[in-house]
Amino acid sequence: MDNKDINLFNIKKTKRVVVAMSGGVDSSVAAAVCARQGYDVVGVTLQLYTSDNVSRKKGSCCAGQDIYDAKKVAEKVGIKHYVLDYEEQFKSEVIDDFAESYANGQTPIPCVRCNEKIKFGDLYETARQLGASSLITGHYVSNKLINGERGLFRARDINKDQSYFMFTLKKAQLEYIKFPLGDLTKSETRKIAKELDLVTSDKPESQDICFVQSGNYVNLINTLKPNSNIKGNLIDTTGNIVGEHAGIMNFTIGQRRGIGYINGEPNYVIDIDHERNNVTIGPKEALAINQIALKNLNWLGPEKGMDDEKELPVYVKIRSTSEPVPAIIIKNADNAKVLFKNPEYGVAPGQACVIYESHKNMARVLGGGWIIKDKTQNLNS
């Protein structure tokens, strides 16, 4: 695909735009195409951490080599480039929140928090202060007008769709932030990068939880909260104590491996009670759940006809690796109840529930919220 075929947005090409450059191929292509199409481009890279304050691993982003790569791309395409130090904000808003959530028996999503608090929070304001008409990123989502209002949509490339991590965007932000790669596949993006001879054209994908080395988040939490990993009881679904665990931060709902208890049957983590420091384990059927409660609901869909307590048929995605499933949402101010058409398994408080019009690619994102414990939900469907 020729990069000229990408219709970025309807603004005058003499206007300034800020492009968030992480040092990966996606944001590099977004910046390069903006420059090729005649926009006044300012590339901004956020330094989120250094190797001496968090664990580092291959495939992480926003530090070291990534900053260097972003700078090389900016030089190649002839745009201004700045590196902004956001280490303090990233630690307080993302890393500390990550550690606190696990210590409270939840399963956090740091990528969502980073988008909400850093990339589309502080950087959004920085772009406006720089006099930019738009903030551009390389995320695989789409931002389109529908019935006169701006909406967020899943990407055309369903395998790269990042809408699950973007549900906290506000409607006002959708008017300002643009996502030029939403209608491209990853292979098309890499082809453009090769055509433009960008140093990032063959760069590997960045990995989730960029600040955790080799997936060993417990070591990081122990460093940040050294007194939080306290031994407690493993209990079965009837409340009987069957063993001891080394700390609730070692567990997440639906986990099967590493539980530390064997009775000849497969066991899963059913519940985590951080107040009593208990971890409930049991058979897979005990994970079945018919409904969940959401807090901090962010509604991005049409307001017309969406009254509180009204039942709305939707599709919902309860983890980043799953596909949207049919459900009913009952909205109440900034909270909501979600009723599944079929029981779901391994739903973890602290994760996000993102709401869509359908399960297909390019479907509209209606909103999303954070999954919380709901004492009324049926745990034994």
Side-chain angles (χ1 to χ4, degrees):
M1 173 178 286
D2 193 309
N3 65 82
K4 295 179 181 178
D5 294 333
I6 303 177
N7 183 17
L8 290 178
F9 28 74
N10 296 318
I11 62 174
K12 294 180 180 179
K13 294 183 179 179
T14 56
K15 292 290 185 73
R16 171 175 292 174
V17 297
V18 167
V19 181
M21 300 181 68
S22 66
V25 63
D26 300 323
S27 59
S28 296
V29 167
V33 171
C34 284
R36 285 294 183 96
Q37 292 189 350
Y39 297 96
D40 176 17
V41 181
V42 178
V44 174
T45 300
L46 304 181
Q47 179 170 309
L48 301 182
Y49 48 82
T50 51
S51 58
D52 59 351
N53 67 355
V54 297
S55 301
R56 294 283 287 127
K57 68 176 182 178
K58 183 179 180 181
S60 57
C61 66
C62 305
Q65 183 66 40
D66 309 292
I67 294 175
Y68 176 80
D69 289 342
K71 190 177 296 291
K72 293 293 290 183
V73 169
E75 292 173 355
K76 175 73 175 179
V77 301
I79 63 173
K80 297 179 285 291
H81 179 256
Y82 301 97
V83 179
L84 304 182
D85 184 354
Y86 273 65
E87 288 192 47
E88 183 177 341
Q89 296 95 318
F90 186 72
K91 183 180 183 302
S92 63
E93 298 284 2
V94 180
I95 299 178
D96 288 347
D97 176 81
F98 175 84
E100 185 69 24
S101 295
Y102 263 113
N104 289 331
Q106 299 177 339
T107 305
I109 317 175
C111 293
V112 175
R113 290 299 188 196
C114 183
N115 286 337
E116 177 186 14
K117 302 293 186 179
I118 307 298
K119 294 177 181 176
F120 301 124
D122 292 342
L123 183 55
Y124 170 82
E125 294 300 331
T126 298
R128 298 181 73 90
Q129 292 168 10
L130 289 172
S133 298
S134 295
L135 171 63
I136 315 299
T137 83
H139 289 94
Y140 285 88
V141 292
S142 289
N143 178 353
K144 300 175 182 178
L145 280 173
I146 179 169
N147 298 325
E149 65 178 5
R150 187 71 60 177
L152 184 67
F153 295 80
R154 298 185 82 188
R156 180 165 74 90
D157 186 344
I158 204 69
N159 294 317
K160 299 307 300 179
D161 173 55
Q162 293 174 292
S163 60
Y164 182 81
F165 302 101
M166 314 288 279
F167 78 91
T168 58
L169 281 169
K170 306 302 182 185
K171 288 187 175 181
Q173 291 175 313
L174 288 177
E175 295 291 339
Y176 187 74
I177 304 171
K178 305 295 187 297
F179 308 103
L181 306 188
D183 291 333
L184 297 182
T185 64
K186 185 72 175 192
S187 60
E188 289 170 338
T189 298
R190 288 201 182 276
K191 180 180 178 182
I192 293 171
K194 289 181 182 294
E195 291 174 352
L196 298 177
D197 194 27
L198 302 182
V199 67
T200 56
S201 63
D202 292 320
K203 191 171 183 178
E205 298 281 348
S206 60
Q207 303 296 316
D208 288 345
I209 314 184
C210 55
F211 53 87
V212 178
Q213 185 177 27
S214 302
N216 194 350
Y217 63 88
V218 175
N219 287 343
L220 174 62
I221 299 172
N222 282 333
T223 299
L224 297 173
K225 300 179 71 65
N227 298 319
S228 62
N229 209 14
I230 303 171
K231 292 181 179 181
N233 292 324
L234 289 174
I235 63 176
D236 62 22
T237 54
T238 62
N240 295 319
I241 297 175
V242 296
E244 185 180 68
H245 66 75
I248 62 173
M249 68 179 63
N250 295 282
F251 302 94
T252 188
I253 304 296
Q255 177 180 332
R256 180 181 175 184
R257 299 181 183 278
I259 293 177
Y261 175 74
I262 299 175
N263 65 347
E265 300 290 337
N267 282 284
Y268 298 79
V269 175
I270 308 300
D271 184 50
I272 301 171
D273 185 343
H274 81 279
E275 293 180 351
R276 296 180 177 84
N277 202 28
N278 289 335
V279 174
T280 302
I281 62 174
K284 183 177 181 179
E285 54 265 27
L287 283 170
I289 201 167
N290 284 328
Q291 67 183 53
I292 55 174
L294 308 181
K295 69 174 183 178
N296 303 135
L297 179 70
N298 184 48
W299 189 252
L300 294 172
E303 295 294 342
K304 186 177 180 180
M306 192 54 197
D307 301 324
D308 282 356
E309 304 302 333
K310 178 181 179 180
E311 294 188 359
L312 180 69
V314 294
Y315 283 78
V316 299
K317 185 169 176 155
I318 56 171
R319 61 181 66 85
S320 63
T321 56
S322 66
E323 281 302 304
V325 297
I328 298 291
I329 180 175
I330 304 173
K331 179 173 170 284
N332 184 2
D334 62 347
N335 299 313
K337 181 182 292 184
V338 177
L339 311 177
F340 298 113
K341 181 178 180 180
N342 301 304
E344 285 294 314
Y345 295 80
V347 182
Q351 292 281 286
C353 174
V354 181
I355 307 158
Y356 301 89
E357 277 191 333
S358 81
H359 64 286
K360 299 178 181 179
N361 66 334
M362 305 181 76
R364 185 174 184 178
V365 180
L366 298 177
W370 297 100
I371 300 171
I372 59 175
K373 277 193 174 183
D374 179 8
K375 294 181 180 179
T376 66
Q377 66 192 17
N378 184 359
L379 294 174
N380 297 293
S381 303

